[in-house]
Amino acid sequence: MEQVQVLILGHGFVGQYLTELLSTNSVSYAATTTTGRDATIKWQFSGTDTDFSALPAAPFVVVMFPVNGATDADHLCHGYTTHHQTICPDYTPPRWILLGSTRAFTQTPSTKYTPPDTTLGGPRMDAEVRAIEKYNACVLNLVGLWGGARCPRGWARFYTKDRLRTRLNDRSLHLVHGADVARAILAVVRDRTINGRWLVSDQRVYDMLQIVLCDDRVRGLLSELLEEKDVQALLHATRVEDVELGTMCVTRRVDSSHFWDRAAIQPLYVYALDQPDPHVI
């Protein structure tokens, strides 16, 4: 099996942007899915029972799916490396790049140097820590992903009255486009010294309420909530039309400047409420 430069485990949402970018930059790659669709390798991680024989050797391995627990991190990283060293004893352990979330970062604002709340991170955080400490991995903790059909404006459909009431206390929304995540991954591939944990966002903060109020149903829910005295006090309004909206109403909770400065690039794609996606595949 021919070696590739980048192996993508779990093609998924970010994978479509990453494969496009790698192709544009003449970087060879292979990607997996559980079904083998779209010319990918049919493969699935199954802990101790994982078969690595279908996977090509690569100096960089990007893990798109969540790895749950330190033990599974060992099964994945050690298992893949051992398999290829059995075939070729000179094979050097790959550089691991894992994608995670910012759920465990609760400090305002959280940065690269903010310790995560491991009770919120769960087993996925345990896997990230093991990958960093034992396998010198790079972990990119991402804020809300958007791009293509995954449009923040469309998230209004998920809101119930109770969920909307809860979010009124913290309307901050942080986003990053899938194409910028791909650019971040390629930056790590090009610079082996970028390791450890990094937060990745588009360096902006959005008002969740401003976005979802584009939906008439959500406007109706907010109108009902504004009949409650505590909601009136919180929003300083009694009518939807009087609610103040915009970035002045929210707090930046994620500062990802350390990553972009270290990678010597900046995010390109910003969400604009009434504008089309700036990067269409």
Side-chain angles (χ1 to χ4, degrees), residues 121-135:
R124 188 172 186 175
M125 182 66 65
D126 296 336
E128 293 172 4
V129 171
R130 177 61 62 86
I132 291 171
E133 294 180 348
K134 189 172 180 179
Y135 302 100

Side-chain angles (χ1 to χ4, degrees), residues 10-25:
H11 189 252
F13 175 75
V14 173
Q16 62 184 325
Y17 294 100
L18 181 57
T19 53
E20 178 195 48
L21 184 64
L22 294 177
S23 295
T24 300
N25 286 271

Side-chain angles (χ1 to χ4, degrees), residues 146 272 274-279:
W146 77 282
D274 296 316
Q275 297 296 319
D277 186 338
H279 184 102

Side-chain angles (χ1 to χ4, degrees), residues 202-250:
D202 68 6
Q203 278 293 79
R204 289 163 176 81
V205 59
Y206 302 85
D207 181 359
M208 171 280 305
L209 186 59
Q210 183 179 33
I211 293 174
V212 299
L213 279 182
C214 292
D215 184 276
D216 288 339
R217 185 185 64 84
V218 176
R219 291 183 71 87
L221 294 178
L222 182 60
S223 181
E224 293 175 17
L225 287 173
L226 282 168
E227 296 174 5
E228 303 174 11
K229 295 297 184 182
D230 57 340
V231 176
Q232 293 175 9
L234 178 64
L235 298 181
H236 306 290
T238 58
R239 303 185 309 157
V240 174
E241 294 78 7
D242 297 329
V243 174
E244 188 175 5
L245 301 171
T247 56
M248 74 290 293
C249 303
V250 294

Side-chain angles (χ1 to χ4, degrees), residues 87-101:
I87 299 171
C88 178
D90 294 332
Y91 175 69
T92 302
R95 177 79 185 286
W96 294 91
I97 303 170
L98 279 66
L99 303 188
S101 76

Side-chain angles (χ1 to χ4, degrees), residues 36-247:
R37 66 181 184 278
D38 301 326
T40 58
I41 299 168
K42 184 177 181 180
W43 181 82
Q44 186 168 359
F45 179 65
S46 306
T48 55
D49 298 324
T50 302
D51 181 2
F52 295 98
S53 61
L55 303 181
F60 297 93
V61 181
V62 184
V63 184
M64 299 288 194
F65 58 82
V67 181
N68 293 314
T71 300
D72 271 0
D74 283 331
H75 290 323
L76 177 61
C77 299
H78 179 72
Y80 174 83
T81 302
T82 300
H83 168 76
H84 284 289
Q85 286 181 334
T86 299
I87 299 171
C88 178
D90 294 332
Y91 175 69
T92 302
R95 177 79 185 286
W96 294 91
I97 303 170
L98 279 66
L99 303 188
S101 76
T102 53
R103 181 172 180 266
F105 295 88
T106 57
Q107 183 175 307
T108 304
S110 291
T111 73
K112 170 179 173 54
Y113 301 104
T114 301
D117 183 339
T118 54
T119 62
L120 293 176
R124 188 172 186 175
M125 182 66 65
D126 296 336
E128 293 172 4
V129 171
R130 177 61 62 86
I132 291 171
E133 294 180 348
K134 189 172 180 179
Y135 302 100
N136 198 33
C138 175
V139 175
L140 302 178
N141 291 106
L142 311 176
V143 295
L145 284 167
W146 77 282
R150 186 179 289 196
C151 177
R153 183 170 182 164
W155 299 343
R157 69 185 184 276
F158 299 119
Y159 277 83
T160 62
K161 185 188 291 188
D162 287 341
R163 183 177 181 184
L164 183 61
R165 179 189 287 109
T166 300
R167 282 303 308 269
L168 291 178
N169 291 299
D170 180 7
R171 291 155 50 179
S172 301
L173 176 65
H174 294 81
L175 299 171
V176 65
H177 196 287
D180 274 327
V181 176
R183 293 175 61 243
I185 293 170
L186 182 57
V188 175
V189 168
R190 287 173 165 169
D191 186 345
R192 284 182 170 270
T193 66
I194 303 178
N195 49 32
R197 186 185 300 282
W198 304 84
L199 307 189
V200 179
S201 75
D202 68 6
Q203 278 293 79
R204 289 163 176 81
V205 59
Y206 302 85
D207 181 359
M208 171 280 305
L209 186 59
Q210 183 179 33
I211 293 174
V212 299
L213 279 182
C214 292
D215 184 276
D216 288 339
R217 185 185 64 84
V218 176
R219 291 183 71 87
L221 294 178
L222 182 60
S223 181
E224 293 175 17
L225 287 173
L226 282 168
E227 296 174 5
E228 303 174 11
K229 295 297 184 182
D230 57 340
V231 176
Q232 293 175 9
L234 178 64
L235 298 181
H236 306 290
T238 58
R239 303 185 309 157
V240 174
E241 294 78 7
D242 297 329
V243 174
E244 188 175 5
L245 301 171
T247 56

